[in-house]
C-alpha cells in the first residue's frame, strides 16, 4: 500500500523482498546476490541480531540502510549511512525529561534511584537530560530518593511526579504497591508515576493503579485507530485483506513512506503513527529518530499528551 502511494507521487523503483530467516548465513547469501550491486536503499533486517552484518555491507558499498524496528545503538557507530527509525530507550528518557522541563515546572519531581544495574543507564540519561537541557526561566528542582523513602516527598495539595526509569517487571510492581500504601498522605489526583514503555505489558502492576496514579510514559509512536487518517487507511486495508491493520503493518507503511519520500522524492509524507526527526549521534555516526511521544493512561485508555 505504501509503494502504491509512492508510485502515485512519482516513485519509479525496482523493489526486492528477502526472507532472512533471522539467520546470519542467509543474510550473507542475500548480500551476495547480483541485484545488490546496484541497490539504493536497504530496509531491514527486522531483528537486531543481523543489523551489524548488513550495516557493514552498507558502509562498504555506500548504500543507505534503515532499521525499521528497535535496534541497538551500536549499529549507528561510525556509520553515517544507517538510520534508526525507532528511538532507543535512552532517547525516550531524554525526551521525557525535556517534556517535563516544559510542562511540569511547578510540580514536585522525584526521581527514584534504581536497584538493578540494568536500569542505571536509563536513570543517568533522565537525570543528565533534566539537569543539562536548556530551559526557559528557572530550572525546577529534581529530588532523588530510594523507593522506600518516597512517602517523605508526598504533600497534600501538591502535584508530585515520581519518575521510575526501570524496565523490570518486579521493580515496577513494587513501586506501585509502595506508592499505594503511602498515598493516603495526599489525594490520588495529586500523584503521578512516569515509567517506561515496558510497563504496558507488565503483569506485576495492578492496572487500577495505573489509572489511579496518572501513569505516563515515553513512546516512539502513537497509534490512534480513531484518527481520520487511520480510519481511512484501515477501511482500505480491510477491503484488501479482510482484517484490521495491525500495528506492525502501520509501522511498515510509515517507514516505507517516510524514508522513500525523503530520499527519492525530496518530499514529506503523511504518516499514520510515527513522526520522524532524524539526528546524528555525532558527525561520524548514523541517524536516530529523536521524536518522543508522551502517553498517559486514563480510564484504561492510552492518550497522547
Amino acid at each position: 500500500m505504501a509503494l502504491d502511494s509512492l508510485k502515485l507521487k512519482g516513485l519509479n523503483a525496482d523493489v526486492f523482498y528477502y526472507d532472512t530467516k533471522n539467520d546470519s548465513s542467509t543474510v550473507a547469501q542475500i548480500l551476495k546476490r547480483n541485484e545488490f550491486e546496484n541497490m539504493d536503499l536497504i530496509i531491514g533486517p527486522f531483528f537486531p541480531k543481523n543489523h551489524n552484518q548488513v550495516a557493514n555491507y552498507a558502509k562498504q558499498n555506500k548504500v543507505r540502510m534503515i532499521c525499521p524496528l528497535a535496534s541497538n545503538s551500536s549499529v549507528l557507530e561510525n556509520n553515517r549511512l544507517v538510520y534508526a527509525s525507532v528511538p532507543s530507550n535512552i532517547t525516550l528518557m531524554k525526551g521525557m525529561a525535556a517534556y517535563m522541563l516544559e510542562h511540569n515546572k511547578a510540580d514536585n519531581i522525584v526521581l527514584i534511584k534504581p536497584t538493578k544495574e540494568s536500569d542505571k543507564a536509563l536513570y543517568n540519561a533522565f537525570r543528565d537530560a533534566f539537569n543539562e537541557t536548556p530551559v526557559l526561566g528557572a530550572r525546577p528542582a529534581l529530588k532523588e530518593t530510594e523507593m522506600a523513602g518516597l512517602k517523605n516527598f508526598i504533600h497534600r495539595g501538591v502535584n508530585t511526579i515520581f519518575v521510575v526509569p526501570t524496565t523490570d517487571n518486579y521493580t515496577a510492581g513494587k513501586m506501585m504497591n509502595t506508592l499505594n500504601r503511602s498515598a493516603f498522605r495526599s489525594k490520588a489526583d495529586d500523584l503521578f508515576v512516569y515509567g517506561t514503555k515496558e510497563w504496558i505489558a507488565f503483569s506485576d502492576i495492578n492496572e487500577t493503579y495505573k489509572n489511579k496514579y496518572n501513569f505516563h510514559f515515553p513512546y516512539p509512536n502513537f497509534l490512534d485507530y480513531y484518527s481520520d487518517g487511520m480510519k481511512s487507511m484501515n477501511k482500505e486495508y480491510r477491503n484488501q485483506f479482510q482484517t484490521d491493520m495491525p500495528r506492525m503493518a502501520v509501522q511498515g507503511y510509515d517507514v516505507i513512506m517516510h524514508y522513500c519520500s525523503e530520499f527519492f522524492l525530496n518530499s514529506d509524507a503523511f504518516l499514520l503513527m510515527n513522526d520522524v526527526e532524524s539526528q546524528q549521534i555525532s558527525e561520524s555516526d548514523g541517524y536516530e529518530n529523536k521524536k518522543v511521544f508522551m502517553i498517559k493512561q486514563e480510564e484504561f485508555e492510552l492518550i497522547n499528551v
Side-chain angles (χ1 to χ4, degrees), residues 141-278:
L142 179 63
K143 302 163 186 174
E144 298 186 54
T145 184
E146 307 285 347
M147 191 184 301
L150 65 82
K151 61 181 181 293
N152 299 319
F153 293 87
I154 299 175
H155 308 289
R156 188 172 297 276
V158 178
N159 284 346
T160 299
I161 300 174
F162 293 102
V163 181
V164 194
T166 183
T167 60
D168 178 64
N169 188 353
Y170 174 77
T171 302
K174 183 179 179 182
M175 169 65 198
M176 294 304 249
N177 291 330
T178 301
L179 177 59
N180 192 57
R181 288 194 296 269
S182 302
F184 67 89
R185 293 174 169 83
S186 179
K187 295 186 298 183
D189 288 346
D190 295 339
L191 300 175
F192 298 75
V193 174
Y194 282 44
T196 66
K197 68 182 190 302
E198 283 76 13
W199 291 33
I200 301 174
F202 283 169
S203 58
D204 284 358
I205 300 179
N206 186 320
E207 283 297 312
T208 303
Y209 290 171
K210 289 183 184 177
N211 288 332
K212 185 177 180 181
Y213 300 121
N214 305 289
F215 175 56
H216 288 59
F217 61 97
Y219 207 68
N221 47 53
F222 181 72
L223 178 57
D224 180 6
Y225 278 104
Y226 300 103
S227 67
D228 291 341
M230 193 62 218
K231 285 192 292 186
S232 176
M233 183 61 68
N234 207 23
K235 182 178 180 181
E236 184 178 345
Y237 191 90
R238 285 197 201 105
N239 289 336
Q240 291 194 42
F241 303 108
Q242 289 75 54
T243 186
D244 284 335
M245 195 173 186
R247 174 177 285 273
M248 191 65 74
V250 179
Q251 179 69 8
Y253 180 91
D254 280 0
V255 167
I256 295 286
M257 285 297 298
H258 172 76
Y259 290 102
C260 288
S261 294
E262 179 178 310
F263 295 157
F264 304 135
L265 301 176
N266 193 29
S267 68
D268 296 328
F270 171 76
L271 305 183
L272 298 172
M273 72 175 186
N274 288 272
D275 192 1
V276 181
E277 297 177 0
S278 295

Side-chain angles (χ1 to χ4, degrees), residues 21-37:
K21 299 181 173 61
N22 195 21
D23 174 69
S24 58
S25 61
T26 301
V27 171
Q29 291 302 313
I30 291 171
L31 295 176
K32 292 178 182 177
R33 295 175 68 99
N34 291 335
E35 62 265 21
F36 259 83
E37 294 180 5

Side-chain angles (χ1 to χ4, degrees), residues 58-72:
K59 184 176 183 178
Q60 292 169 10
N61 293 274
K62 295 180 173 55
V63 55
R64 286 173 168 138
M65 170 191 169
I66 310 299
C67 300
L69 302 176
S71 58
N72 295 322

Side-chain angles (χ1 to χ4, degrees), residues 67-131:
C67 300
L69 302 176
S71 58
N72 295 322
S73 298
S74 62
V75 74
L76 302 175
E77 293 177 2
N78 297 311
N79 193 338
R80 292 182 291 177
L81 292 167
V82 180
Y83 293 73
S85 64
V86 177
S88 66
N89 274 356
I90 295 294
T91 295
L92 293 179
M93 286 293 103
K94 293 178 179 179
M96 183 164 72
Y99 172 87
M100 295 177 69
L101 285 170
E102 182 177 354
H103 297 279
N104 303 110
K105 286 184 178 180
D107 298 330
N108 184 31
I109 302 173
V110 183
L111 179 60
I112 302 298
K113 296 178 180 179
T115 57
K116 288 190 168 292
E117 190 68 28
S118 57
D119 289 331
K120 288 185 178 179
L122 300 182
Y123 165 82
N124 289 330
F126 178 88
R127 184 177 60 176
D128 292 347
F130 193 94
N131 290 327

